């Protein structure tokens, strides 16, 4: 028997504004099913007919079902005849709309809670047995107080008399806790049980299957003779996108690698070696560092630096694309988190903290169609796909690196001669992190060269040199972050090496700020 096309098994996640909605999607995909997140206000009968979900998951959310302007659900969801899993707000909404009652509780539950399994249901099959107690993670004020017809209670907690509910005939399930977070240890198994056993998905959505389907889609989009250009930055996303497109259309892809002179040590060489040398990709390597650094001379304002780099990048990319000529398509490494339209709890777009520049942005006047083969993927899925495509771990597992590069790691005006000082300090820090086996546990680590000089003493001589700040953070998506808790001996070792080996730095400090209130980069 051949596996059904994974797209025919897609699961719809309706977003009601929870910070955790993307985690639901991660768990569904880990269970081998393709899924998409859509905001609640987009989902109506027409949408549902076009999407044809195999099952629906209703996310949590910050609102109260009882409030007047609470995000609502189109009742067409319940008439589809497919399984529905409501999580937290999703459970309360399902309950309220199907004839049950939701009330504000005087017993709020936030954090770990114990769940008593009161009955069997298909969702628990092979995971939890009646009579057992299990740890879950809760975050709710409201709670279900009376069930709709057809539902029964299958679990309780101290704060939630209906902590899990089931209507087996309609295959509707509700949980007050959050199965998508790791603090619910069996949560991933419950979501897998919903996806595989309740919804009957085959689990065929793997990276190997995605690769084959994506290549077919690229070929169909670009056609027999179409040509594609791709801005390569050396980062994970553009590298994987380029490799995939190259596999689909071979020499009809040309990569353009614009070196703005703000890359880390050895970075440009590696990109050229891997793409031109190993994969035989048509690659234009344009060293435009003089142009970028010339335009940045004397510019100290972070936003101004970003804008200059963004504009210059587009100009150079445009020039090179015109030189190649005839390309009708531009490949971009856009990821799924960039295309998800989330429900905002506060009703408006979030404030721009920094104007991000991404290599490969489409110049307005360039009339090229987009090829975005990673639009459906999360970052860790892109890494898995990269490995599947044979990219080396040095590229696939690499920490994110911002488009404006070292320009935003040297606060104030960029000093050309100091770029090498920064590169050397950064390389030592990363080398020590790798040696200590910590690289993969850290989201991002880098050195920052401050425009501050301090006095030191080396040998018998007084020194007056720059301060280097080290930054290393853990994060899951770059939106929030914690500084990495290195032990002191490690930091002392890195500090000694940098001061001894890098002329121009005589003091090293470690940045302990989390995000928020700080940001990951210094500018
Ligand atoms: P912040 O500094 O805003 O960074 O906490 C969050 C994440 O985004 C990266 N970053 C950028 N990436 N172009 C990029 O492609 C940019 O202009 C840019 N600015 C910040 C940053 O490295 C971190 O991973």
């Amino acid at each position: 028997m051949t596996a059904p096309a994974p797209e025919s098994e897609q699961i719809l996640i309706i977003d009601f504004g929870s910070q955790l909605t993307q985690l639901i999607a991660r768990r569904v995909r880990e269970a081998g099913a393709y899924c998409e997140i859509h905001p609640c206000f987009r989902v109506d009968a027409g949408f549902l007919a076009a999407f044809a979900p195999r099952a629906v998951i209703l996310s949590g959310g910050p609102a109260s079902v009882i409030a007047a302007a609470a995000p609502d659900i189109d009742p067409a969801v319940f008439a589809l005849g497919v399984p529905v899993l409501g999580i937290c707000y999703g459970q309360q909404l399902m309950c309220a709309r199907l004839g049950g009652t939701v009330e504000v509780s005087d017993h709020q539950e936030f954090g770990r809670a114990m769940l008593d399994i009161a009955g069997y249901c298909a969702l628990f099959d092979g995971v939890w047995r009646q009579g057992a107690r299990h740890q879950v993670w809760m975050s709710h004020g409201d709670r279900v107080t009376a069930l709709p017809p057809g539902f029964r209670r299958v679990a309780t907690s101290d704060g939630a008399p209906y902590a899990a509910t089931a209507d087996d005939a309609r295959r509707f399930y509700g949980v007050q806790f959050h199965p998508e977070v790791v603090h619910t240890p069996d949560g991933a198994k419950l979501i897998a049980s919903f996806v595989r056993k309740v919804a009957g998905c085959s689990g065929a959505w793997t990276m190997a299957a995605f690769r084959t389907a994506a290549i077919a889609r690229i070929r169909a989009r670009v056609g027999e003779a179409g040509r594609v250009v791709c801005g390569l930055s050396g980062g994970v996303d553009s590298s994987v996108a380029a490799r995939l497109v190259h596999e689909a259309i071979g020499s009809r892809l040309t990569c353009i690698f614009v070196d703005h002179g703000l890359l880390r040590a050895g970075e440009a060489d590696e990109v050229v070696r891997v793409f031109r040398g190993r994969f035989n990709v048509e690659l234009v390597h344009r060293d435009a560092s003089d142009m970028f650094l010339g335009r940045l001379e004397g510019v100290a304002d972070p936003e101004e630096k970003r804008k200059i780099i963004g504009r210059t990048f587009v100009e150079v990319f445009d020039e090179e694309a015109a030189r190649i000529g005839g390309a009708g398509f531009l490949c971009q490494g856009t990821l799924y988190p960039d295309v998800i339209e989330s429900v905002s709890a506060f009703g408006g777009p979030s404030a721009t903290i920094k104007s991000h520049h991404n290599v490969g942005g489409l110049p307005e006047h360039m009339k090229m169609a987009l090829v975005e083969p990673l639009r459906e993927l999360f970052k860790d899925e892109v890494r898995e796909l990269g490995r599947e495509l044979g990219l080396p771990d040095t590229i696939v597992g690499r920490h994110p690196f911002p488009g404006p590069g070292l320009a935003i790691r040297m606060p104030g005006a960029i000093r050309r001669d100091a770029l090498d000082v920064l590169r050397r300090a950064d390389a030592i820090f990363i080398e020590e992190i790798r040696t200590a086996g910590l690289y993969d546990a850290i989201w991002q680590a880098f050195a920052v060269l401050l425009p501050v000089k301090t006095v030191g003493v080396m040998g018998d001589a007084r020194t007056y040199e720059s301060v280097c700040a080290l930054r290393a953070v853990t994060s899951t998506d770059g939106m929030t972050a914690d500084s990495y808790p290195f032990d002191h001996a490690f930091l002392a070792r890195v500090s000694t090496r940098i001061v001894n080996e890098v002329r121009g730095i005589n003091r090293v400090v470690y940045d302990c700020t989390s995000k928020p209130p700080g940001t990951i980069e210094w500018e």
Side-chain angles (χ1 to χ4, degrees), residues 306 354 356-358 400 402-404 443-444 478 515 519-521:
R306 283 167 180 278
K354 297 173 185 178
H356 274 213
H357 154 66
N358 290 307
W443 165 266
Q444 237 173 325
K515 173 184 180 176
T519 52
I520 295 176
E521 303 290 346

Side-chain angles (χ1 to χ4, degrees), residues 235 325 355:
S355 57

Side-chain angles (χ1 to χ4, degrees), residues 28 47 52 65 109 130 208 245 292 320 325 358 409 433:
V28 170
F47 175 96
V65 171
E109 277 180 307
Q130 188 170 350
V245 173
F292 278 88
E320 293 302 329
N358 290 307
R409 294 180 178 177
I433 287 174

Side-chain angles (χ1 to χ4, degrees), residues 131 203 229 266 271 319 384 422 482:
V229 290
V271 172
E319 236 173 73
E384 206 182 320
L422 175 55
D482 279 314

Side-chain angles (χ1 to χ4, degrees), residues 6 9 11 13 23-35 57 85 187-207 381 384:
E9 297 189 340
I11 291 192
I13 299 169
L23 283 182
I24 305 175
R26 297 290 313 115
R27 299 287 101 81
V28 170
R29 291 183 180 196
E30 280 160 19
Y34 180 67
C35 61
I57 299 179
L85 171 64
K189 285 189 205 153
L190 291 174
I191 290 179
S193 163
F194 179 73
V195 167
R196 304 288 292 273
K197 292 181 181 163
V198 177
C201 292
S202 64
W205 199 78
T206 60
M207 266 312 136
E381 291 174 324
E384 206 182 320

